[in-house]
Amino acid sequence: MDDRLNLVHEAHAQTMRWALEPVEADDEVGWDDLNAWLCSGSGLYWPKDLVFAASALGTDEQKSHEGLSRAILFRIFVSDKTLIKQLLPNMWKEVMILDQSQQPELPSLSEIRHALRELREVMAARRTAFFCFVIDGLDEYSGDPENGIAFVNDLAACANIKVIVSSRPIPACVAAFSSRPRLQLQDLTHGDITAYVEDTLSSNEYFESLLQSDHVSTQTAAKAITSEIVTKASGVFLWVILACRSILTGCAAFDHAAELQARLDVLPPELEDLFQHMLGKIAPQYQPQAAKLLRILYQNIITPGHTPVYTLSLAMLDDANFNHEDMDIRPLKAKQLDLAQRRTKCLVMEGRLRSRCCGLLEVILKSAGCLCGFHDEKHDLFVDSHVAFIHRTVFEFLSQPGIWDLSCLRIQDPDFDAIPIPAATHLQTICFASRWRDEDFDFCSQLLFCAAELDKTLPSLGRDFILRLHETIRAIASNSYESRPGTLPSDFPEMGRWLSLSGGRRPVLLPRHS
């Protein structure tokens, strides 16, 4: 549910502060004061963004308007569990008659609509509960956009609920939200982009020396590079980040100002063209590895139930030359790597990503799960880090027909198969986690999603991963925790069979039958 939030980077210093500051009376950019709306407004606020790209990231559930509405209701129920019985009476009754091993049916679309109608009445009667929901990229959800718009409007109609919903200005959203308080993002980010470019480039010692050069022509050329990046970006922050990285690469090679300008001149203004240009610049000896790494991340996303690819697990796969059959996936092997060794592997992996993938993949220093061992202390974010595309538009670029036939992305290795790799990396992650907290059981669930998907096309391989998971958990229970009795739950089932519910919606495990 928080996948998208977890991918949000920390804001660059001094940027986006305008959003929470009062609008000046002489502001030439027409936009509705977000600060004032948050303090005293109501209903819905619409930031529209011309540079959003439709995203296929996430599971089918996460990409649907139905999934969105369930996520919103979940947030409301977390804050007030007493509302469940009133808003979802059928689900409540079902839960009351099921035992703990059974899962209730998820609420249908009609039940969700009923819940929203009830919520309006509840919120009108209560003056102590307040909610503000931020929904990013409404136009990216699958299905009829009118359904998503209707849901958001119904939600915003509830008393004491505010909704900030962003989207591209597609016709349906323009028709529905144009009369609402709004802003157009690219009209307001010019100052932020300028600050980012100046801070990023001036913090480089070599580029700063060009700005401070005794030669006026060199100074002028360096300043022109800064201003041209801002102009050429046309409000697209991602383009700015990639352009700055290209200039910094040139600075590391001690390019003259004219050579840095030449780097900037060849960068295409459109993102898709820029991605293709960047791929074409990868050194030939690194192209096979880059193609495999990009394919692995792409495959992970299109696998149902996907979760982050942990840097540490990817490093182990890299050590095996990206062949999952050669990975040493054993809890004992993972246990032998202490924290310093795990950190070193992650640092090396980050460097290899940087040199091979031209900035399209990056290490995210946010803990989505613990591999460092410090469950109750401060986490080592590097060891707990994961790898992701720099932006969802990279995934969209790789989703285009024929893109994998480009010479720089074509994989010639007959032994490479990306399909089983999500299951292999999840299994590797389980070996490193092996603490059997709640999140570790989530790792098992994620592996089951992957195995269930494999079972559709490669039944023997899917079952093989299920058996390997069984063996891994047995090894963890008997070896890693032999001195810590009771670490595994007492009701942990004997896993003779792992089954997936019909439809592949949610994996479950059943005890062995005699």
Side-chain angles (χ1 to χ4, degrees), residues 28-77:
E28 296 180 359
V29 178
W31 64 292
D32 294 290
D33 192 329
L34 178 59
N35 176 281
W37 181 83
L38 287 170
C39 293
S40 59
S42 61
L44 184 147
Y45 192 101
W46 181 39
K48 59 177 177 174
D49 188 350
L50 292 176
V51 300
F52 273 155
S55 174
L57 297 180
T59 64
D60 290 341
E61 177 83 3
Q62 290 170 326
K63 293 182 290 184
S64 68
H65 296 114
E66 196 171 355
L68 169 65
S69 58
R70 287 174 183 153
I72 295 289
L73 286 177
F74 174 79
R75 294 299 188 194
I76 293 172
F77 293 149

Side-chain angles (χ1 to χ4, degrees), residues 178-468:
S178 285
S179 61
R180 302 279 195 168
R182 67 190 188 277
L183 62 82
Q184 186 156 295
L185 198 58
Q186 63 269 24
D187 290 343
L188 297 160
T189 54
H190 183 273
D192 292 342
I193 288 175
T194 301
Y196 176 84
V197 174
E198 291 178 349
D199 290 349
T200 301
L201 296 185
S202 64
S203 64
N204 180 272
E205 185 176 353
Y206 177 74
F207 194 85
E208 180 65 17
S209 73
L210 298 179
L211 290 171
Q212 303 299 329
S213 173
D214 293 334
H215 298 284
V216 176
S217 59
T218 300
Q219 280 189 30
T220 303
K223 292 176 181 178
I225 289 171
T226 301
S227 60
E228 188 172 336
I229 290 175
V230 175
T231 302
K232 198 171 179 179
S234 299
V236 182
F237 234 118
L238 176 59
W239 192 95
V240 173
I241 293 170
L242 297 175
C244 285
R245 288 182 180 178
S246 178
I247 297 300
L248 293 178
T249 299
C251 289
F254 295 94
D255 287 358
H256 294 312
E259 292 170 319
L260 294 176
Q261 180 65 53
R263 279 179 170 272
L264 184 57
D265 290 342
V266 299
L267 295 182
E270 299 298 327
L271 279 178
E272 290 183 0
D273 295 335
L274 179 57
F275 295 153
Q276 194 158 335
H277 170 80
M278 293 168 68
L279 289 170
K281 300 291 284 185
I282 297 173
Q285 68 268 30
Y286 292 153
Q287 284 186 356
Q289 296 171 16
K292 289 179 181 180
L293 286 163
L294 291 166
R295 186 76 196 197
I296 288 166
L297 268 292
Y298 180 85
Q299 182 65 43
N300 184 67
I301 288 174
I302 64 175
T303 300
H306 82 272
T307 55
V309 175
Y310 286 84
T311 311
L312 187 55
S313 296
L314 188 61
M316 299 296 284
L317 181 65
D318 185 27
D319 288 346
N321 197 28
F322 303 108
N323 188 334
H324 73 92
E325 294 180 350
D326 292 338
M327 292 177 72
D328 191 350
I329 305 178
R330 292 180 299 150
L332 185 59
K333 176 68 174 178
K335 185 182 178 183
Q336 289 171 348
L337 290 176
D338 61 26
L339 182 62
Q341 291 170 315
R342 295 182 185 198
R343 201 169 207 281
T344 297
K345 281 192 171 291
C346 292
L347 284 167
V348 170
M349 191 70 242
E350 184 193 36
R352 290 174 66 80
L353 289 171
R354 191 165 52 247
S355 63
R356 284 149 176 80
C357 296
C358 58
L360 297 181
L361 295 180
E362 62 180 353
V363 171
I364 308 296
L365 296 179
K366 287 191 177 181
S367 182
C370 179
L371 304 189
C372 67
F374 297 126
H375 285 270
D376 302 318
E377 305 170 39
K378 186 176 181 180
H379 289 278
D380 187 315
L381 293 182
F382 226 112
V383 176
D384 291 348
S385 67
H386 60 279
V387 178
F389 291 115
I390 186 176
H391 192 265
R392 60 187 181 271
T393 48
V394 180
F395 174 84
E396 291 299 324
F397 167 73
L398 295 174
S399 299
Q400 296 180 54
I403 205 72
W404 292 100
D405 293 327
L406 292 174
S407 59
C408 55
L409 290 175
R410 196 177 301 125
I411 298 172
Q412 306 287 355
D413 185 354
D415 295 326
F416 178 78
D417 185 1
I419 294 175
I421 285 179
T425 54
H426 284 322
L427 188 57
Q428 181 70 77
T429 300
I430 289 168
C431 293
F432 279 118
S434 64
R435 289 283 185 126
W436 297 114
R437 308 294 176 100
D438 288 345
E439 63 197 48
D440 301 327
F441 284 104
D442 288 342
F443 291 145
C444 293
S445 177
Q446 292 150 12
L447 175 55
L448 287 177
F449 269 114
C450 296
E453 187 67 16
L454 275 175
D455 196 57
K456 297 176 183 177
T457 53
L458 301 166
S460 61
L461 196 54
R463 291 163 192 160
D464 175 63
F465 273 108
I466 291 172
L467 290 174
R468 291 173 73 181

Side-chain angles (χ1 to χ4, degrees), residues 51-102:
V51 300
F52 273 155
S55 174
L57 297 180
T59 64
D60 290 341
E61 177 83 3
Q62 290 170 326
K63 293 182 290 184
S64 68
H65 296 114
E66 196 171 355
L68 169 65
S69 58
R70 287 174 183 153
I72 295 289
L73 286 177
F74 174 79
R75 294 299 188 194
I76 293 172
F77 293 149
V78 165
S79 68
D80 188 350
K81 296 180 178 63
T82 63
L83 290 175
I84 301 175
K85 183 177 181 179
Q86 183 174 354
L87 300 188
L88 294 175
N90 292 337
M91 190 175 185
W92 177 266
K93 292 175 184 176
E94 188 179 358
V95 169
M96 291 298 100
I97 63 175
L98 294 176
D99 60 46
Q100 291 185 349
S101 65
Q102 295 176 298

